[in-house]
C-alpha cells in the first residue's frame, strides 16, 4: 500500500511522446503537476491552461496548476473555467489578494493551494493557513528544473505536519523540486503527503516511460523501504 501520493511534473515530460506518456501515467500516478510561468515572476515561460485542456482529452487524473506568475488574478479565472482541480499560488505575490482568490476558487468548487519559496517562512501564510487545501514547499528555487536540493526546506514540512496535527488544519503537504534517488530518504523522513516527480526523479531516467516508472519505484523502495507501485 502506498503511504504517499506522486504527481509527475508535466513540464519535464517528453512532449514528442505526449499521448504515450499520459496514457501510461494515468494508470500509475495520483495526479499531474502543471507549471504555469509568466516570464516575470520567474524568467521562464512554460505551460498554460490550454495545455491542461489537452491533457484532459486523454486523462481523468486530477491536475494541480502551479502558478509561478506575478499576478495570479489574471490566471485564476481561466483555470476555474476549465475546472482545474487544484489552483496553487505563490505566497510571495498574494499580499492583498489571498482571501479573495481563495474564496473565488472555493466558490467554484475547486481546491486552493499556496506555495512557499525556500526563503519564505510558514508564518507568511498564517492569516489564511486554515483556508488552504494544500501547501507546497519548494525544495529548490522556483523556475528551473534540475537545481540542487535545499535540505533546510524540509524543516518546513516537519513544522507543517506538527501544526496540522495541533490545529486540525485540513491542508495536505506537497514538496516540489529535485525529488529523486539522492533525496528520497530525507524527504521521506520529513513526511510530505505528495511528491512531485520531474526530470531527475522520473522523466529523465529512461526514454521509455514504463521503464522510468519502474526505476523510480525501485529507487524509492530502496531508499525508503516503501513501495509506490499500484500493481
Amino acid at each position: 500500500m502506498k503511504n504517499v501520493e506522486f504527481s509527475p511534473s508535466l513540464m519535464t515530460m517528453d512532449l514528442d511522446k505526449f499521448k504515450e506518456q499520459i496514457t501510461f501515467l494515468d494508470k500509475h500516478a495520483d495526479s499531474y503537476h502543471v507549471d504555469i510561468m509568466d516570464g516575470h515572476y520567474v524568467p521562464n515561460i512554460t505551460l498554460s491552461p490550454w495545455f491542461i485542456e489537452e491533457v484532459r482529452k486523454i486523462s481523468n487524473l486530477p491536475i494541480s496548476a502551479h502558478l509561478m506568475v506575478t499576478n495570479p488574478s489574471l490566471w485564476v479565472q481561466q483555470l476555474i473555467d476549465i475546472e482545474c482541480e487544484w489552483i496553487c499560488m505563490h505566497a510571495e505575490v498574494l499580499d492583498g489578494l489571498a482571501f479573495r482568490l481563495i474564496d473565488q476558487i472555493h466558490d467554484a468548487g475547486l481546491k486552493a493551494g499556496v506555495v512557499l519559496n525556500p526563503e519564505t517562512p510558514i508564518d507568511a501564510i498564517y492569516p489564511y493557513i486554515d483556508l488552504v487545501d494544500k501547501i507546497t514547499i519548494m525544495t529548490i528555487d522556483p523556475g528551473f528544473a534540475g537545481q540542487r536540493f535545499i535540505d533546510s526546506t524540509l524543516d518546513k514540512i516537519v513544522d507543517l505536519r506538527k501544526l496540522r496535527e495541533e490545529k486540525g488544519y485540513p491542508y495536505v503537504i506537497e514538496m516540489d523540486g529535485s525529488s529523486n534517488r539522492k533525496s528520497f530518504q530525507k524527504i521521506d523522513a520529513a513526511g510530505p503527503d505528495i511528491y512531485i516527480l520531474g526530470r531527475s526523479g522520473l522523466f529523465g531516467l529512461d526514454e521509455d516511460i514504463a521503464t522510468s516508472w519502474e526505476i523510480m519505484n525501485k529507487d524509492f523502495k530502496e531508499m525508503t523501504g516503501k513501495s509506490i507501485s499500484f500493481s
Side-chain angles (χ1 to χ4, degrees):
M1 180 181 296
K2 296 189 295 88
N3 296 314
V4 291
E5 295 187 0
F6 289 80
S7 186
S9 175
L10 300 188
M11 179 181 77
T12 59
M13 73 181 299
D14 185 346
L15 293 178
D16 288 335
K17 300 177 180 178
F18 177 83
K19 186 174 182 179
E20 173 190 335
Q21 294 195 342
I22 294 295
T23 300
F24 174 85
L25 290 170
D26 253 35
K27 299 175 183 177
H28 295 81
D30 297 283
S31 63
Y32 293 125
H33 181 88
V34 174
D35 289 306
I36 297 177
M37 307 180 190
D38 63 357
H40 297 284
Y41 183 71
V42 292
N44 281 341
I45 298 175
T46 53
L47 307 177
S48 68
W50 171 84
F51 180 86
I52 292 174
E53 291 183 284
E54 293 301 303
V55 174
R56 280 270 171 71
K57 291 178 181 179
I58 55 176
S59 172
N60 294 314
L61 288 187
I63 297 174
S64 181
H66 176 189
L67 290 175
M68 283 181 263
V69 300
T70 300
N71 189 350
S73 298
L74 300 177
W75 298 86
V76 165
Q77 189 59 50
Q78 294 182 60
L79 293 164
I80 288 174
D81 290 343
I82 62 173
E83 299 181 352
C84 183
E85 287 85 355
W86 297 85
I87 302 174
C88 304
M89 307 162 288
H90 269 264
E92 299 82 16
V93 296
L94 280 182
D95 189 25
L97 300 171
F99 289 94
R100 176 168 59 85
L101 292 180
I102 291 171
D103 286 348
Q104 184 179 349
I105 294 167
H106 284 163
D107 288 346
L110 303 171
K111 295 182 179 181
V114 64
V115 186
L116 298 178
N117 280 339
E119 304 91 342
T120 305
I122 296 172
D123 59 16
I125 61 171
Y126 277 170
Y128 51 88
I129 193 171
D130 59 319
L131 301 178
V132 296
D133 303 292
K134 178 164 68 175
I135 300 174
T136 302
I137 299 301
M138 295 297 300
T139 51
I140 62 172
D141 286 332
F144 296 91
Q147 297 184 78
R148 76 170 184 88
F149 191 92
I150 303 172
D151 291 66
S152 60
T153 58
L154 296 175
D155 293 339
K156 284 188 278 191
I157 294 175
V158 175
D159 291 343
L160 283 170
R161 288 178 58 206
K162 292 178 180 177
L163 189 62
R164 181 174 62 185
E165 184 175 347
E166 291 171 1
K167 301 290 187 180
Y169 291 145
Y171 57 75
V172 295
I173 305 166
E174 179 177 74
M175 62 73 55
D176 183 5
S178 293
S179 177
N180 54 44
R181 181 179 179 86
K182 292 181 179 179
S183 59
F184 280 152
Q185 188 172 35
K186 51 191 173 186
I187 296 170
D188 178 65
D193 304 300
I194 304 171
Y195 286 62
I196 294 173
L197 298 170
R199 186 176 297 121
S200 66
L202 178 62
F203 290 106
L205 299 179
D206 193 88
E207 292 184 0
D208 175 67
I209 188 61
T211 302
S212 291
W213 188 270
E214 183 180 350
I215 294 170
M216 182 272 297
N217 194 358
K218 180 173 179 286
D219 286 346
F220 188 81
K221 186 173 183 178
E222 287 180 355
M223 300 310 295
T224 69
K226 301 173 183 177
S227 175
I228 63 172
S229 174
F230 279 83
S231 58

